[in-house]
Amino acid sequence: MQHKKDVKAQEMRQQKNFGNVMNLIFLLSLITLTSAISYSSPIQRTGSLRAKLLKNGKYPEFLAAQKKLRAATSQPFLDYSDDYYRVKIELGTPPQGFTVSLDTASSFLWVLDVNCKSKNCKGDPSLNNEKDTYNNSDSTTFQCGAGTFVAQFDGQPVTGYLAKETFTLANSLNIRNQDFGSAQTVPDLYLEQPVDGVLGFGLPAMAVNGTKTPLDTLMPLLDLKLFTVWMDKITPKSMAGNAGLITYGALDSVNCDSKINYVPLNVMGYWGFALDGFAIGTFTRQRKEQVISDTASGWIGAPPTVISAIVKATGAKYDWNLELYTVPCSQMTTQPDLIFTINGIDYPVKSVEYILDLGLDNKQCALTFFGMSSSSFGPAWVLGDTFIRSYCHVYDYGNMRIGLAKAHSSV
């Protein structure tokens, strides 16, 4: 009888242990599934700033401001402010919503403060771009930061106070105590853009005043320490609307080819790498040069020699009033490809990407290039949205590299 009791007790222990093992397996499976979840946010395209300014008769003011900027700054960029791809974020408790420029060439998050001091800082009524502002008195999670900040918006200063807040991306990625700036003075150029601030997804070397960058706080929350950017096309390009996706912690296997070519970063502080060469038509340039990937630059920045070669290959004419190179819009799909050679691989960009319809007179379209400084300081090229629309970018923070994959257009 005692033997039967011992056997029964052993069976009960085995069943209990089996149940515990199954519960453990279930929990481990749940953890694995949870850790593998990725987060995605739609990207909105604002359309062309130049097209808006031309339509509203404000383009001469814009050109005057750009000339003043070029004369006053030592930065090597002439202009890269024509287009913006935007994402939605939230700050505070309860959440305050903002639409911000996605910028891989800066490493700071800032939004407009409710008490901004610049003239018409809450938007230009004639451009129908009223802006959302941050009010710290409406948030229970606001914390004062370490004083004030000075950041840059297209080479011009943005100033305000530093703070910490609850920060939400993709409606579900919640980050506590995120450093950010609440901007109280902003340049006129910012007022013309339909954005409430900037989300800097650059590297820590470019942090402002020792703050923790958005990527510093975001990456530890993700299964894979990377984010993927797919920028979709909109036809005509001067229009605005949803135009792409940013995927946090995963590769975008729907909108991007599965074949990804990686190139190591080699520019301190930037998502920068080496360009082996460039070609268009009969022109070739075989020279290792530094480039940066910049989601906030609508156009491609190139050395003056390359700009001249592109003009020659396309037969473009310079419009002295608009300060743009133009070609007939009828040639939008027939001009030669741009060929970028990166890490030994050729990446062609079709003319439909680098020729932009701004609604100019005489059915003329603009070439989406700007000239870079010929000095030895800084990168020689900026690969903006004109390039990124053709190739998804995997910003691999964990391995300090960028992956390039052919983008799938919905148009």
Side-chain angles (χ1 to χ4, degrees):
M1 183 64 120
Q2 183 63 38
H3 175 68
K4 290 183 178 180
K5 288 182 177 179
D6 291 342
V7 171
K8 184 68 174 177
Q10 185 178 1
E11 290 177 348
M12 292 178 65
R13 284 195 298 272
Q14 289 175 340
Q15 291 174 356
K16 183 177 180 181
N17 289 338
F18 178 75
N20 289 338
V21 170
M22 292 304 294
N23 287 335
L24 180 59
I25 291 173
F26 173 75
L27 288 173
L28 288 173
S29 300
L30 185 61
I31 291 171
T32 301
L33 285 171
T34 303
S35 67
I37 291 174
S38 62
Y39 305 83
S40 297
S41 292
I43 300 176
Q44 297 177 337
R45 189 172 188 273
T46 67
S48 169
L49 170 62
R50 283 179 175 82
K52 295 183 180 73
L53 296 177
L54 285 165
K55 185 177 180 180
N56 287 275
K58 290 179 174 271
Y59 193 66
E61 297 175 23
F62 169 81
L63 288 179
Q66 290 301 98
K67 289 177 182 177
K68 182 178 179 181
L69 170 63
R70 290 197 290 267
T73 182
S74 60
Q75 285 210 334
F77 309 136
L78 296 183
D79 168 49
Y80 56 103
S81 58
D82 192 68
D83 294 305
Y84 281 98
Y85 280 81
R86 311 175 299 175
V87 293
K88 291 185 178 296
I89 65 167
E90 292 177 338
L91 287 171
T93 307
Q96 302 176 38
F98 304 93
T99 302
V100 294
S101 170
L102 176 64
D103 184 10
T104 54
S106 69
S107 303
F108 187 56
L109 168 64
W110 63 267
V111 295
L112 190 65
D113 189 74
V114 67
N115 295 314
C116 61
K117 302 172 184 176
S118 298
K119 182 181 178 181
N120 296 324
C121 62
K122 296 183 181 179
D124 186 337
S126 67
L127 294 175
N128 192 28
N129 64 345
E130 183 178 354
K131 301 178 182 302
D132 292 312
T133 57
Y134 172 75
N135 190 340
N136 63 42
S137 63
D138 289 343
S139 175
T140 60
T141 48
F142 164 78
Q143 298 178 53
C144 288
T148 60
F149 75 91
V150 178
Q152 298 290 312
F153 186 84
D154 285 336
Q156 301 180 68
V158 176
T159 66
Y161 64 87
L162 291 170
K164 295 178 183 288
E165 256 300 5
T166 297
F167 171 46
T168 304
L169 279 166
N171 297 318
S172 54
L173 268 172
N174 297 307
I175 300 169
R176 295 182 179 181
N177 301 322
Q178 173 64 55
D179 289 326
F180 80 104
S182 199
Q184 295 183 315
T185 63
V186 290
D188 290 343
L189 181 61
Y190 162 76
L191 305 178
E192 295 161 346
Q193 290 289 352
V195 296
D196 306 317
V198 172
L199 173 58
F201 266 3
L203 299 175
M206 296 178 62
V208 172
N209 290 19
T211 56
K212 289 195 87 173
T213 71
L215 290 186
D216 280 335
T217 52
L218 173 62
M219 288 298 122
L221 303 180
L222 304 178
D223 190 43
L224 297 176
K225 291 180 172 54
L226 56 81
F227 60 99
T228 305
V229 171
W230 166 62
M231 290 184 171
D232 200 9
K233 302 173 179 64
I234 291 181
T235 303
K237 295 188 182 70
S238 60
M239 292 179 60
N242 285 342
L245 202 68
I246 178 169
T247 303
Y248 307 99
L251 304 175
D252 185 343
S253 59
V254 175
N255 302 298
C256 311
D257 269 4
S258 58
K259 182 181 179 181
I260 305 172
N261 300 313
Y262 287 96
V263 56
L265 302 185
N266 69 350
V267 180
M268 182 62 66
Y270 286 99
W271 290 103
F273 50 90
L275 178 70
D276 300 332
F278 171 81
I280 181 172
T282 60
F283 173 83
T284 60
R285 181 182 175 94
Q286 299 300 318
R287 182 186 303 181
K288 272 207 179 293
E289 296 177 295
Q290 302 297 325
V291 305
I292 63 170
S293 171
D294 185 2
T295 54
S297 174
W299 293 13
I300 291 176
T305 302
V306 173
I307 299 290
S308 298
I310 293 170
V311 169
K312 183 177 179 180
T314 58
K317 305 297 182 185
Y318 192 69
D319 187 313
W320 290 95
N321 291 324
L322 302 179
E323 299 189 11
L324 295 169
Y325 283 104
T326 64
V327 295
C329 291
S330 59
Q331 299 178 7
M332 183 176 287
T333 61
T334 60
Q335 290 282 3
D337 292 353
L338 311 174
I339 308 294
F340 296 88
T341 305
I342 301 168
N343 213 21
I345 298 172
D346 288 345
Y347 293 88
V349 175
K350 295 188 178 300
S351 57
V352 70
E353 289 299 344
Y354 69 80
I355 297 176
L356 180 66
D357 186 356
L358 299 175
L360 306 178
D361 293 336
N362 302 318
K363 298 182 179 179
Q364 294 294 298
C365 285
L367 299 185
T368 57
F369 299 92
F370 59 91
M372 298 288 289
S373 169
S374 58
S375 70
S376 60
F377 172 77
W381 294 73
V382 170
L383 296 185
D385 305 336
T386 295
F387 179 80
I388 300 173
R389 276 193 297 271
S390 295
Y391 299 97
C392 294
H393 278 43
V394 180
Y395 296 89
D396 190 342
Y397 188 89
N399 295 296
M400 286 292 107
R401 60 183 183 173
I402 285 182
L404 302 174
K406 184 66 178 175
H408 302 161
S409 174
S410 65
V411 186

